[in-house]
Amino acid sequence: MKYISTRGGAEPQEFSDILLGGLAPDGGLYLPESYPQVADELDSWRGLSYAELAFEILSLYITDIPTSDLKAICDKTYTARTYCWSRDPAKAQDIVPLTSLEADFHLLELSNGPTLAFKDMAMQLLGNLFEYVLDKRDETINILGATSGDTGSAAEYAMRGKHNVRVFMLSPEGRMSAFQRAQMYSLQDANIFNIAVRGMFDDAQDIVKAVSNDAEFKARYKIGAVNSINWARVMAQVVYYFKGYFEATRSGQEEVAFAVPSGNFGNICAGHIARMMGLPISRLVLATNENDVLDEFFRTGIYRPRNTAETHVTSSPSMDISKASNFERFIFDLVGRDAAIVRQLWREVDAGGSFSLADGPFAARLPSYGFVSGSSSHADRLATIRDVWQHHGIMIDTHTADGVKVAREHRVADVPMIILETAQPVKFAETIREALGRDPLRPAGFDGIENLPQKVEVVDATVDQVKDIIVRHC
Ligand SMILES: *Cc1c(COP(=O)(O)O)cnc(C)c1O
């Protein structure tokens, strides 16, 4: 399988060559040349374990790693030991257990990994793939990133102790929850460097961009990224749509719907790809919070990214996104994989503008991709958390609540609705207390993590101070 850029200006590449990079050199995102068709495999895949299923799917997309090595990577990544924080410990073997709220209305638990958010599902695989490819090539990488919470901790837990990898993770000083800070800063591994920046998330993000734009520094210190546009992350997420499908159906003839709390369009993009591969998904329900850029697109055909000043700070913070970086992948498919059209549309977006597909050929084609959407407010979130707790005895986090709220608006009789559960409530304790008047449930292994010693360097929001830290540790 070769990978091409959504903007058409890059040579087709093998998987291992795009794994360690971010954007394609022409500014586009990588996608496989075609989507393997698997409708005929569904019944034979039904009984597979998560690791076996991951191997079947990934081996269609990764053709430059020997199959026995890829199998070993899948087996090592998807173990019940790593994804052990399930509501029902007896279900940990499932890796992504299904919990039913009522008939044909289910949660797919994706947040049972080491950082209690769904990003572990892909990031743990990325850690093992990075280590494998770097070992083969005898190369090193210094991952530089900025985080407002979930991404940074998932990256650190995936890369801790790995050969040839260091992580430099910037976070805004004092702006993450105490639990999130404790998760990241209590890591004592020699290859993990936490850097708290005196400023906001955007200041941290700007520093990462400035360092990455310094071509000489970037090459000299082998700076890399693990951000959400990385193809391997999207690919890894395709697997759980299949697993969720098998859990909620009895035969490969049945259809299901998925509801996905969305920010950067990474998670739901994987659902789109699963559907393109032939998984019978009747609807992909996209849920946003108050930052409703994507909901607006699927309702009106107008894509109007906001600037950071227009982005709301909400109680589902991992969805506070003004510009959905993976959205370009879907548009590439929608416009018939015509890179010239994508280039033209993103000329507007990259210049701070918007585009409309409301009239013309693509508006007519849009419904055939199965997307519907809706948005949620803080009050909706509180009401949904309360309702699910009172009626089902199940505690959900704020992002999952956005998914449940919008899923309810798009239910169709006799079609199972599967809501992707993207984080555990303990990460967002303040809103849980507001909704339920009590502390969130805390998985046993996380008792008292706020009291562990923390390792973090605090710096001013300047590029030079961050570069100094990288130079000092390399
Ligand atoms: C990252 C994240 C999201 C958004 O996922 P995207 O892939 O960016 O759409 C939703 N919920 C939680 C808890 C997250 O960490």
Side-chain angles (χ1 to χ4, degrees), residues 30-47:
Y30 285 111
L31 271 177
E33 271 178 333
S34 63
Y35 297 122
Q37 294 304 302
V38 302
D40 293 340
E41 318 295 332
L42 291 180
D43 286 323
S44 66
W45 284 357
R46 179 167 287 274

Side-chain angles (χ1 to χ4, degrees), residues 111 116-119 149-151 228 233 237 240 260-269 287 294 316-321 324-326 397-400 420-424 427-428:
S111 44
L116 308 180
F118 86 97
K119 290 183 174 73
D150 292 341
T151 306
S228 71
R233 286 184 59 185
Q237 294 173 177
Y240 51 68
V260 189
S262 293
N264 258 324
F265 203 79
N267 202 355
I268 202 164
C269 186
L294 292 168
S316 43
S318 296
M319 294 156 66
D320 292 351
I321 304 281
S325 46
N326 274 292
D397 100 294
T398 53
H399 306 76
T400 309
L420 300 190
E421 179 167 31
T422 54
Q424 294 211 16
K427 299 194 91 169
F428 306 98

Side-chain angles (χ1 to χ4, degrees), residues 114-115 145-157 160 167-172 175-189 191-197 201 427 446 449-450 452-457:
T115 75
T147 187
S148 54
D150 292 341
T151 306
S153 53
E156 291 187 354
Y157 280 77
R160 62 189 295 202
V167 179
F168 295 89
M169 191 56 65
L170 276 54
S171 50
R175 305 222 169 241
M176 297 188 297
S177 72
F179 186 87
Q180 287 178 314
R181 277 202 302 276
Q183 277 187 306
M184 285 180 62
Y185 301 166
S186 66
L187 287 181
Q188 300 294 335
D189 303 78
N191 70 330
I192 302 294
F193 302 96
N194 286 302
I195 305 172
V197 173
F201 169 70
K427 299 194 91 169
F446 295 83
I449 65 165
E450 289 90 341
L452 295 173
Q454 299 192 351
K455 186 180 95 164
V456 56
E457 294 180 67

Side-chain angles (χ1 to χ4, degrees), residues 63-313:
T63 51
D64 61 338
I65 293 179
T67 50
S68 55
D69 292 352
L70 185 59
K71 181 90 179 67
I73 290 171
C74 291
D75 288 344
K76 172 174 161 189
T77 303
Y78 296 110
T79 67
R81 238 180 100 235
T82 302
Y83 299 91
C84 61
W85 304 114
S86 176
R87 281 197 177 81
D88 175 359
K91 284 190 181 173
Q93 291 299 337
D94 294 351
I95 308 299
V96 292
L98 197 74
T99 297
S100 295
L101 296 184
E102 48 199 76
D104 287 338
F105 203 65
H106 315 284
L107 296 176
L108 187 65
E109 294 182 23
L110 304 182
S111 44
N112 296 338
T115 75
L116 308 180
F118 86 97
K119 290 183 174 73
D120 289 328
M121 293 300 303
M123 208 71 93
Q124 289 283 321
L125 177 76
L126 214 62
N128 289 328
L129 284 169
F130 269 40
E131 185 172 56
Y132 175 85
V133 170
L134 290 167
D135 267 350
K136 281 253 136 123
R137 298 181 171 192
D138 199 18
E139 288 176 13
T140 58
I141 195 169
N142 291 306
I143 293 167
L144 177 64
T147 187
S148 54
D150 292 341
T151 306
S153 53
E156 291 187 354
Y157 280 77
M159 304 295 168
R160 62 189 295 202
K162 295 267 183 275
H163 327 143
N164 302 338
V165 183
R166 293 186 196 88
V167 179
F168 295 89
M169 191 56 65
L170 276 54
S171 50
E173 192 197 13
R175 305 222 169 241
M176 297 188 297
S177 72
F179 186 87
Q180 287 178 314
R181 277 202 302 276
Q183 277 187 306
M184 285 180 62
Y185 301 166
S186 66
L187 287 181
Q188 300 294 335
D189 303 78
N191 70 330
I192 302 294
F193 302 96
N194 286 302
I195 305 172
V197 173
R198 295 188 186 96
M200 310 281 285
F201 169 70
D202 290 316
D203 299 315
Q205 178 100 302
D206 287 344
I207 294 173
V208 170
K209 280 187 196 146
V211 174
S212 305
N213 287 339
D214 180 342
E216 201 203 311
F217 188 89
K218 187 176 176 197
R220 175 138 187 233
Y221 290 98
K222 311 219 175 339
I223 303 295
V226 288
N227 46 24
S228 71
I229 52 136
N230 185 294
W231 161 254
R233 286 184 59 185
V234 177
M235 175 190 69
Q237 294 173 177
V238 170
V239 178
Y240 51 68
Y241 284 87
F242 282 83
K243 192 69 181 157
Y245 175 82
F246 293 134
E247 296 291 329
T249 60
R250 290 213 194 84
S251 89
Q253 311 304 314
E254 294 172 50
E255 293 198 317
V256 302
F258 282 95
V260 189
S262 293
N264 258 324
F265 203 79
N267 202 355
I268 202 164
C269 186
H272 159 69
I273 292 170
R275 191 172 180 276
M276 297 295 278
M277 293 170 72
L279 189 67
I281 299 176
S282 61
R283 284 186 166 187
L284 286 164
V285 181
L286 180 143
T288 71
N289 60 19
E290 291 87 335
N291 297 292
D292 59 355
V293 178
L294 292 168
D295 175 37
E296 181 174 80
F297 175 80
F298 285 103
R299 282 185 294 103
T300 66
I302 297 168
Y303 182 56
R304 192 168 59 87
R306 316 292 199 261
N307 59 40
T308 35
E310 291 171 295
T311 304
H312 303 270
V313 176

Side-chain angles (χ1 to χ4, degrees), residues 372-452:
V372 291
S373 68
S375 68
S376 174
S377 67
H378 181 69
D380 292 328
R381 219 163 282 136
L382 297 179
T384 306
I385 291 169
R386 216 173 280 140
D387 175 82
V388 172
W389 178 244
Q390 283 168 359
H391 290 100
H392 307 287
I394 287 174
M395 195 182 285
I396 56 173
D397 100 294
T398 53
H399 306 76
T400 309
D402 292 337
V404 169
K405 188 262 181 185
V406 177
R408 281 182 174 147
E409 296 165 354
H410 292 286
R411 277 180 85 172
V412 172
D414 299 327
V415 178
M417 173 70 78
I418 303 169
I419 299 134
L420 300 190
E421 179 167 31
T422 54
Q424 294 211 16
V426 68
K427 299 194 91 169
F428 306 98
E430 206 178 308
T431 309
I432 298 297
R433 279 193 288 268
E434 190 181 345
L436 303 179
R438 55 160 287 173
D439 284 334
L441 300 171
R442 179 181 286 244
F446 295 83
D447 282 339
I449 65 165
E450 289 90 341
N451 303 324
L452 295 173

Side-chain angles (χ1 to χ4, degrees), residues 339-361:
I341 297 178
V342 173
R343 278 202 300 278
Q344 182 199 332
L345 296 174
W346 258 266
R347 240 195 312 274
E348 301 295 327
V349 172
D350 290 341
S354 58
F355 63 74
S356 171
L357 303 180
D359 311 304

